[in-house]
């Protein structure tokens, strides 16, 4: 009996000890990995850290925390139980001015591998191809700006593959985790989901990333829910690539149809752009259920940097402000309020828990004559537009980041990437100081902290060290919140296998392809030429592609192309290369192209002309007889131009051969049907050829396969025009740059008017009510 009692007592002691050990033991477990270790906190945040970084692990209340500054204590900013605001304030207070200056930098464009676009990238002092380095290793310049300049915001462009992107992210994060206070890198991207026309979608097949129509194509759906779905999918793919900030959406109102960046917007409608912009930001920023950390933010959230404040679509004559010839935005209709609506009532008034877009990018433009103080400077330099209006009037609380290159010295009217408009006579450091004092937080395209430090010293001299320290910490807190809220301080690392399974997975590819189908707009279908029967023989003429330059100035040589791959065509129709044998011809063209320096000619300027030219939306030669004789804005400096008028000058679209191809094909078909596919980047004067053809289909940056699914009747068209198609260049020239829907739209031979919200299906004009709430008359004040 005593033995039995003793055994029971011993068992009870063992059980009690086990329970006590469980109650007092750690609530976390660690799993070593190839490049980083993962710690699972029971009921808390997951940690990831690189053993090579020197970061230790602290335990408090049985939970694990990263000792990012390696001081052996749990600082507030290291405590994931606290709010992002509290953590940001603590960390900003610990940062040196040099570290804050680095945080305020945003890198120039980075290719992985390959580094910057301007050349000079090396790996151990050698070009990548000669270095023997792996594609995910950091370049010498990336190591330098992350280490020496304390830069933590990196803009990624082309990546070799999702796997390479993930491994590059892990390399960069391991480096910066071991530096200073352990602040992770916040990598970003411009939009990267637009489809290529020669790609093929197959149900169940994955790809590099899901493919969607461009922003204008999304707008053609007139469905904010589709845009939100895009944001949700794109944000998951971004995070799987190591991207935590999207330099989008572009909610500029495209009120001037000539603007080079028209296709990146949701069009000219204030109401449609507001709803689409709100849906886009909600989709990108919102994390739900177990992915949420706090206030709608979490592991699937991507910061949305909405652009371009206060609207970049009103450049005089349609010119673009990347260049000196396009630096002036004008408002002849006194319609600034309409341009602000997509920001104030869309991106700053979200339905999701994050509340408002986390960042804003001002455009390069000088918003001419709108500052009541009389100052005419680029928007990022303007205290009126940034502090008085954006922050104080509209209550924006997040990061304001300049567009790329605004502090660089200009080097000519047509030089790209140098846009210090209105402050050309200031030094680089003085421009940084003016931007800081205007209320901005970050410098796009600057890898060098020195001008920021010099700007800080200017502020100390003018306002004192205490004031300037507080001003710098104010920006640091805003920037740090965007890193804390998406969970990067806890785990910035990526599981490469998960990345490969997420990016471009079959579900996302299918969603993107279905969106492409919804974006295609049918404008003309005389005698029900569409859909084309699969037994009919189809002729698609080769297209001449004239020589050009890309956005960064790299040359693209002239060539002939098959605008739709023959192998794709043969899956839908019988194909012939002889018009005489064809039952129907399909001609593929682009919108009229004016080149990247549209509206200006250096060659003319060198001959004593002012250099300014019209931008044409027609293919044949256009003489600007109705243009202003005196420009609304100009620069009286000796090296600039005060009167930028192009009245009575003539231009011809670079791709006038597209019109010639249509007329030639119509002649060769000898009365048989001709269908035109217009790959639209800007509203186009179709009156030059519309009466010659039988069908007209608008392609907003989709795969040719999506267009073929429409042409063949596999899918019925449902897209609607998110813009007006102008009747002629006269109405383009006399419309006001800041006013939407003030052109006369084209009316075709079937009496259909190509106005906002118009589109056809197989039964005729679509009248399902989607566009009704967005139809408004031009507002003139």
């Amino acid at each position: 009996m005593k033995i039995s009692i003793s055994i029971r007592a011993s068992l009870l002691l063992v059980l009690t000890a086990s329970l006590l050990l469980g109650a007092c033991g750690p609530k976390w477990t660690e799993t070593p990995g190839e490049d980083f270790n993962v710690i699972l906190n029971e009921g808390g945040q997951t940690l990831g850290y690189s053993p090579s970084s020197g970061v230790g692990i602290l335990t408090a209340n049985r939970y694990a925390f990263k000792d990012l500054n390696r001081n052996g204590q749990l600082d507030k900013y290291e405590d994931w139980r606290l709010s992002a605001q509290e953590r940001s304030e603590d960390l900003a207070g610990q940062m040196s001015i040099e570290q804050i200056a680095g945080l305020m930098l945003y890198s120039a464009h980075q290719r992985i591998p390959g580094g910057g676009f301007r050349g000079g990238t090396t790996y151990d002092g050698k070009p990548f191809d000669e270095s023997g380095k792996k594609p995910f290793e950091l370049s010498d310049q990336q190591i330098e700006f992350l280490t020496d300049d304390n830069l933590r915001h990196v803009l990624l462009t082309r990546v070799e593959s999702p796997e390479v992107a993930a491994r590059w992210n892990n390399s960069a994060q391991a480096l910066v985790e071991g530096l200073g206070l352990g602040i992770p890198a916040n990598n970003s991207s411009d939009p990267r989901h637009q489809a290529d026309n020669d790609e093929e979608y197959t149900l169940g097949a994955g790809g590099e990333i899901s493919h969607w129509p461009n922003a204008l194509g999304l707008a053609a759906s007139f469905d904010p829910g589709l845009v939100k779905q895009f944001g949700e999918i794109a944000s998951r793919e971004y995070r799987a690539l190591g991207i935590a900030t999207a330099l989008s959406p572009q909610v500029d109102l495209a009120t001037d149809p000539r603007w080079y960046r028209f296709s990146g917007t949701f069009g000219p409608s204030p109401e449609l752009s507001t709803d689409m912009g709100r849906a886009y930001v909600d989709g990108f920023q919102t994390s739900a259920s177990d992915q949420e950390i706090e206030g709608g933010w979490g592991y699937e959230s991507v910061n949305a940097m909405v652009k371009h404040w206060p609207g970049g679509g009103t450049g005089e004559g349609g010119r673009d402000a990347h260049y000196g010839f396009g630096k002036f935005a004008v408002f002849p209709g006194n319609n600034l309020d309409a341009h602000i609506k997509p920001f104030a009532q869309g991106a700053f008034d979200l339905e999701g828990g994050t509340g408002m877009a986390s960042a804003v990018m001002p455009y390069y433009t000088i918003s001419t004559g709108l500052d009541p103080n009389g100052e005419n400077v680029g928007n990022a330099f303007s205290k009126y537009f940034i502090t008085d209006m954006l922050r104080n009037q509209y209550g924006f609380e997040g990061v304001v980041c300049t567009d790329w290159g605004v502090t660089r010295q200009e080097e000519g009217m047509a030089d790209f990437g140098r846009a210090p408009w209105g402050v050309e006579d200031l030094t680089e450091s003085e421009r940084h100081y003016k931007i800081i004092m205007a209320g901005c937080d970050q410098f796009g395209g600057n890898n060098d902290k020195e001008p920021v430090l010099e700007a800080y010293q200017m502020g100390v001299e003018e306002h004192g060290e205490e004031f300037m320290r507080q001003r710098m910490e104010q920006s640091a807190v805003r920037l740090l919140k965007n890193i804390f809220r998406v969970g990067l301080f806890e785990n910035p690392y990526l599981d490469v296998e998960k990345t490969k399974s997420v990016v471009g997975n079959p579900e996302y590819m299918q969603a993107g392809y279905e969106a492409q189908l919804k974006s295609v707009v049918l404008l003309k279908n005389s005698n029900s030429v569409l859909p084309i029967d699969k037994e009919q023989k189809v002729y698609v003429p080769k297209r001449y592609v004239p020589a050009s330059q890309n956005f960064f100035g790299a040359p693209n040589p002239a060539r002939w192309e098959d605008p739709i791959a023959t192998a794709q065509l043969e899956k839908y129709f019988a194909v012939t290369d002889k018009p005489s044998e064809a039952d129907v011809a399909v001609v593929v063209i682009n919108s009229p192209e004016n080149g990247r320096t549209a509206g200006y000619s250096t060659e003319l300027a060198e001959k004593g002309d002012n250099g300014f030219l019209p931008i044409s939306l027609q293919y044949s030669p256009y003489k600007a007889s109705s243009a202003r004789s005196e420009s609304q804005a100009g620069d009286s400096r000796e090296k600039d131009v005060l009167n930028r008028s192009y009245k009575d000058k003539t231009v011809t679209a670079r791709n006038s051969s597209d019109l010639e191809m249509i007329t030639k094909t119509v002649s060769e078909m000898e009365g048989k049907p001709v269908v035109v596919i217009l790959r639209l980047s800007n509203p186009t004067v179709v009156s030059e050829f519309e009466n010659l053809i039988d069908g007209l289909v608008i392609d907003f940056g989709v795969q040719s396969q999506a267009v073929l699914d429409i042409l063949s009747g596999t899918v019925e068209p449902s897209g609607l025009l998110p813009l007006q198609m102008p009747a002629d260049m006269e109405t383009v020239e006399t419309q006001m740059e800041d006013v939407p829907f003030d052109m006369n739209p084209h009316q075709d031979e079937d009496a259909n008017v190509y106005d906002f919200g118009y589109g056809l299906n197989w039964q005729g004009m679509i009248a399902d009510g989607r566009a009704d709430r967005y139809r408004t008359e031009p507002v003139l004040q």
Side-chain angles (χ1 to χ4, degrees), residues 325-338:
F325 59 77
K327 64 185 175 182
F328 292 107
V330 294
F331 295 82
N334 194 26
N335 203 32
L336 177 63
D337 287 347

Side-chain angles (χ1 to χ4, degrees), residues 667-685:
S667 175
E668 291 173 335
M669 290 297 288
E670 297 180 333
K672 291 179 288 186
V674 175
V675 175
V676 169
I677 310 301
L678 172 55
R679 299 190 294 213
L680 190 143
S681 56
N682 289 84
T684 299
V685 177

Side-chain angles (χ1 to χ4, degrees), residues 591-701:
S591 296
E593 298 169 357
N594 292 268
R596 72 185 187 100
T597 58
Y600 186 78
S601 168
T602 301
E603 183 179 354
L604 278 180
E606 289 173 348
K607 295 177 180 178
D609 187 271
N610 72 356
F612 287 83
L613 292 170
I615 297 174
S616 179
L617 301 182
Q618 68 182 35
Y619 298 94
S620 57
Y622 163 61
K623 183 176 181 179
S625 302
S626 300
R628 300 177 182 119
S629 57
E630 296 285 335
S631 61
Q632 289 222 330
D635 191 331
S636 61
R637 293 180 308 133
E638 182 178 347
K639 295 181 180 180
D640 216 299
V641 177
L642 181 59
N643 183 9
R644 298 177 166 216
S645 173
Y646 48 82
K647 184 176 175 60
D648 293 329
K649 293 182 181 179
T650 300
V651 293
T652 302
R654 184 176 61 195
N655 60 328
S656 59
S657 53
D658 280 352
L659 178 61
E660 296 168 4
M661 178 172 56
I662 293 175
T663 56
K664 181 174 183 289
T665 303
V666 169
S667 175
E668 291 173 335
M669 290 297 288
E670 297 180 333
K672 291 179 288 186
V674 175
V675 175
V676 169
I677 310 301
L678 172 55
R679 299 190 294 213
L680 190 143
S681 56
N682 289 84
T684 299
V685 177
V686 297
S687 59
E688 294 179 297
F689 62 83
E690 176 272 316
N691 65 329
L692 304 177
I693 65 173
D694 304 275
L696 180 57
V697 177
I698 303 299
D699 166 356
F700 290 113

Side-chain angles (χ1 to χ4, degrees), residues 304-351:
M305 185 179 291
V306 62
K307 57 190 187 182
H308 302 88
W309 176 263
T314 69
E316 185 166 14
R319 298 184 293 270
D320 183 66
H322 277 86
Y323 305 94
F325 59 77
K327 64 185 175 182
F328 292 107
V330 294
F331 295 82
N334 194 26
N335 203 32
L336 177 63
D337 287 347
H339 290 261
I340 288 176
K341 186 173 183 178
F343 294 92
Q345 298 181 32
F348 301 166
D349 187 21
L350 303 180
E351 294 177 353

Side-chain angles (χ1 to χ4, degrees), residues 458-780:
M458 292 176 188
V460 170
E461 292 173 11
E462 182 174 358
H463 298 287
E465 187 167 2
E466 181 180 358
F467 171 90
M468 206 57 198
R469 170 78 199 192
Q470 289 177 351
R471 174 63 193 91
M472 298 286 277
E473 282 194 30
Q474 183 183 46
S475 286
V477 169
R478 292 170 182 151
L479 291 160
L480 291 168
K481 281 176 67 175
N482 288 354
I483 307 177
F484 277 114
R485 292 190 294 199
V486 298
L488 288 177
F489 273 88
E490 276 54 69
N491 185 16
Y493 297 97
L494 299 173
D495 180 329
V496 175
E497 293 305 313
K498 182 178 179 182
T499 290
K500 290 159 66 175
S501 70
V502 168
V503 180
N505 71 52
E507 178 188 351
Y508 296 170
M509 295 295 286
Q510 181 176 356
Y513 187 71
E514 290 174 356
Q516 292 180 51
L517 293 170
K518 292 177 181 178
S519 75
V520 178
V521 180
L522 176 61
L523 293 185
K524 185 176 184 180
N525 193 21
S526 293
N527 302 314
S528 298
V529 63
L530 299 175
I532 301 171
D533 190 271
K534 65 180 181 180
E535 275 78 36
Q536 290 184 296
K537 284 189 176 181
V538 174
Y539 167 62
V540 179
K542 289 183 180 292
R543 178 175 180 268
Y544 177 70
V545 181
S548 64
Q549 292 179 315
N550 70 12
F551 197 69
F552 294 96
N556 297 316
R559 69 186 191 280
W560 286 90
E561 69 171 8
D562 288 316
I564 303 176
T566 302
Q568 277 194 328
L569 274 172
E570 290 175 339
K571 294 180 179 180
Y572 291 85
F573 314 111
V575 180
T576 179
D577 60 0
K578 296 180 175 63
S580 60
E581 297 179 357
D583 297 304
V584 60
V586 175
V587 181
V588 182
I589 64 174
N590 287 1
S591 296
E593 298 169 357
N594 292 268
R596 72 185 187 100
T597 58
Y600 186 78
S601 168
T602 301
E603 183 179 354
L604 278 180
E606 289 173 348
K607 295 177 180 178
D609 187 271
N610 72 356
F612 287 83
L613 292 170
I615 297 174
S616 179
L617 301 182
Q618 68 182 35
Y619 298 94
S620 57
Y622 163 61
K623 183 176 181 179
S625 302
S626 300
R628 300 177 182 119
S629 57
E630 296 285 335
S631 61
Q632 289 222 330
D635 191 331
S636 61
R637 293 180 308 133
E638 182 178 347
K639 295 181 180 180
D640 216 299
V641 177
L642 181 59
N643 183 9
R644 298 177 166 216
S645 173
Y646 48 82
K647 184 176 175 60
D648 293 329
K649 293 182 181 179
T650 300
V651 293
T652 302
R654 184 176 61 195
N655 60 328
S656 59
S657 53
D658 280 352
L659 178 61
E660 296 168 4
M661 178 172 56
I662 293 175
T663 56
K664 181 174 183 289
T665 303
V666 169
S667 175
E668 291 173 335
M669 290 297 288
E670 297 180 333
K672 291 179 288 186
V674 175
V675 175
V676 169
I677 310 301
L678 172 55
R679 299 190 294 213
L680 190 143
S681 56
N682 289 84
T684 299
V685 177
V686 297
S687 59
E688 294 179 297
F689 62 83
E690 176 272 316
N691 65 329
L692 304 177
I693 65 173
D694 304 275
L696 180 57
V697 177
I698 303 299
D699 166 356
F700 290 113
V702 301
Q703 295 162 246
S704 295
Q705 183 181 355
V707 176
L708 292 172
D709 273 344
I710 300 292
L711 296 185
S712 65
T714 305
V715 176
E716 186 168 21
S718 62
L720 304 172
L721 276 180
L723 48 86
Q724 291 181 306
M725 295 289 268
D728 48 42
M729 278 304 297
E730 173 80 12
T731 193
V732 172
E733 199 66 71
T734 57
Q735 58 86 36
M736 288 185 279
E737 287 91 339
D738 61 327
V739 177
F741 310 131
D742 60 342
M743 295 190 297
N744 296 321
H746 175 75
Q747 181 171 320
D748 71 13
E749 62 178 355
D750 297 327
N752 291 319
V753 179
Y754 295 179
D755 206 347
F756 177 81
Y758 165 76
L760 300 174
N761 57 23
W762 303 143
Q763 288 71 48
M765 191 181 302
I766 298 172
D768 57 14
R770 273 179 294 156
D772 292 349
R773 65 185 297 253
Y774 299 116
R775 288 191 173 97
T776 58
E777 297 296 323
V779 178
L780 305 181

Side-chain angles (χ1 to χ4, degrees), residues 22-44:
C24 300
K27 284 190 172 184
W28 56 272
T29 56
E30 182 169 356
T31 304
E34 181 181 353
D35 299 317
F36 62 96
N37 293 359
V38 175
I39 294 176
L40 298 178
N41 277 302
E42 182 183 327

